[in-house]
Amino acid sequence: MNAPPGGVGHLSGGCQTMRLVEQDGSVLHEIADDGTRGRPEVQRGELRWILLDSLPAEAVRWGHKVSGTRALGGGRHEVAFADGSTVVTSLLVGADGAWSRVRPLLSDATPEYVGTSFVETYLFDADTRHTGSAKVGGGGSMIAPSPGKEIFAHRENGDTLHAYVALSSPQDWFAAIDFTDASAAATRITREFGGWAPELTALITDAGIPPVLRPHYALPAGHRWSRVPGVILLGDAAHLAAPNGEGASLAMLDGAELGKTLAAYADGTEAALTEYEQAVCARSTEPVAFEGTETQRIDSESNTPQAMLKMITEQSH
Ligand SMILES: Cc1cc2nc3c(=O)[nH]c(=O)nc-3n(C[C@H](O)[C@H](O)[C@H](O)COP(=O)(O)OP(=O)(O)OC[C@H]3O[C@@H](n4cnc5c(N)ncnc54)[C@H](O)[C@@H]3O)c2cc1C
């Protein structure tokens, strides 16, 4: 694990306004913040500091990249680090994300590309330098969906607009784009949004830093494993899904439940892990939600503002 940088993160769970926008930039629908903070949001960097600040300083060993794990028998495991050091565990919790080095102890499953990727951009000084995009984005989040592509923007601290431009394309297609050439990459991605309002495409062309490609991977739906003494998974290591606005909350829920269950079974770690594991495995089969609303797949023909509005209206009744 490497120490986290400060600064702007990119995590949103809802709250504030949520706009549904058409390709021409007109606002079809806006869900107002109801003031209850029922779905509070926090930026990724801030969340990491909140969690780290709650731990004793020596709890995290920075600069220890796990290079491999192996079973020693009797519920014990050896964890090897890139610097050549090792530790032996009595309980090994694999909270190491999508490409977990712990998961292979329990499961052969590997993440697969789901067919969509985000191109991530940031626009700084939005209210003075990017007024069109700031206006269409509103005060919270904005989504402009269409079959196979979509633009999502979110207002963040420090007058920043953070955007995810989603495209349903194979990895080969993205590989042909040179993301080290920021301007050429932005031009190529923008070409996919021909006819869209300039204040929407400016979220790609006017970015303050080079666009970053974020391919989406997932573990198979219903990913399960058989109990192996002394080792357990949580978060993306257990149930990686394509981004749906819930992943961070689920990872924290897993962690909280694991802690509570271990505390409740003070003399029986294996019984606690068995109970926890049933809850965690169920999470990889539950339907995805985004901003509290069931999502359409980006590649679906019905990924349109009108279909999304219909869904929101039906779910609010
Ligand atoms: C583009 C994108 C946008 C997303 N947006 C949202 C969103 O808006 N809202 C939301 O809720 N979720 C979002 N998610 C999903 C969310 O990021 C994850 O579900 C969540 O971070 C999972 O938490 P985790 O702790 O399981 O894994 P991670 O957050 O990936 O944490 C794993 C940790 O393990 C460490 N690690 C990994 N490998 C090793 C190793 N070999 N050795 C040592 N340490 C290691 C990493 O450094 C990291 O600190 C998004 C995901 C993507 C890809």
Side-chain angles (χ1 to χ4, degrees):
M1 203 186 236
N2 290 316
V8 179
H10 63 284
L11 196 74
S12 68
C15 215
Q16 301 181 326
T17 56
M18 157 77 182
R19 283 184 169 184
L20 201 47
V21 169
E22 305 215 54
Q23 291 176 23
D24 65 3
S26 56
V27 178
L28 181 65
H29 186 68
E30 178 163 300
I31 304 171
D33 178 2
D34 65 3
T36 62
R37 297 204 64 78
R39 290 175 55 81
E41 64 179 37
V42 61
Q43 289 179 224
R44 186 180 292 270
E46 290 169 8
L47 177 60
R48 289 193 83 188
W49 282 118
I50 291 167
L51 296 172
L52 285 168
D53 282 348
S54 69
L55 296 171
E58 66 281 7
V60 179
R61 292 196 205 167
W62 300 110
H64 279 66
K65 184 170 184 178
V66 176
S67 54
T69 50
R70 71 185 175 104
L72 300 176
R76 293 158 63 248
H77 293 87
E78 183 188 79
V79 180
F81 299 101
D83 64 3
S85 63
T86 57
V87 291
V88 174
T89 62
S90 53
L91 172 56
L92 174 58
V93 180
D96 51 346
W99 304 101
S100 172
R101 298 290 179 131
V102 177
R103 191 193 299 122
L105 293 169
L106 293 162
S107 157
D108 292 333
T110 50
E112 291 206 357
Y113 181 62
V114 301
T116 52
S117 295
F118 284 159
V119 176
E120 180 180 28
T121 66
Y122 284 97
L123 273 62
F124 304 112
D125 304 319
D127 285 330
T128 46
R129 294 179 52 217
H130 308 287
T131 47
S133 300
K135 193 163 172 235
V136 75
S141 41
M142 180 238 45
I143 187 163
S146 84
K149 57 193 83 168
E150 138 182 326
I151 298 180
F152 174 82
H154 182 245
R155 171 66 74 138
E156 292 183 350
N157 294 344
D159 199 11
T160 297
L161 273 174
H162 179 197
Y164 285 129
V165 177
L167 283 171
S168 170
S169 302
Q171 285 189 295
D172 289 355
W173 187 86
F174 288 105
I177 300 173
D178 179 5
F179 278 90
T180 63
D181 182 342
S183 158
T187 303
R188 180 66 196 87
I189 298 297
T190 310
R191 212 189 304 156
E192 298 302 300
F193 292 85
W196 287 48
E199 57 270 33
L200 291 173
T201 54
L203 288 161
I204 315 167
T205 52
D206 293 4
I209 55 171
V212 178
L213 179 64
R214 305 254 182 224
H216 299 167
Y217 292 87
L219 285 166
H223 176 228
R224 290 185 169 268
W225 57 87
S226 300
R227 179 87 222 102
V228 174
V231 59
I232 197 82
L233 301 176
L234 67 74
D236 280 2
H239 44 67
L240 176 70
N244 55 42
E246 301 287 334
S249 301
L250 287 185
M252 290 189 287
L253 181 63
D254 288 354
E257 282 192 354
L258 178 59
K260 269 174 58 181
T261 316
L262 284 169
Y265 285 83
D267 297 325
T269 302
E270 279 308 312
L273 297 184
T274 303
E275 182 179 314
Y276 161 82
E277 208 164 62
Q278 279 163 4
V280 118
C281 286
R283 280 186 199 129
S284 67
T285 54
E286 285 160 8
V288 296
F290 181 74
E291 304 286 344
T293 305
E294 206 171 310
T295 44
Q296 292 288 351
R297 285 176 57 98
I298 292 166
D299 58 5
S300 153
E301 277 308 306
S302 50
N303 190 47
T304 62
Q306 291 72 21
M308 211 175 265
L309 176 59
K310 186 164 175 275
M311 216 158 49
I312 291 168
T313 314
E314 283 170 3
Q315 287 182 4
S316 64
H317 288 128

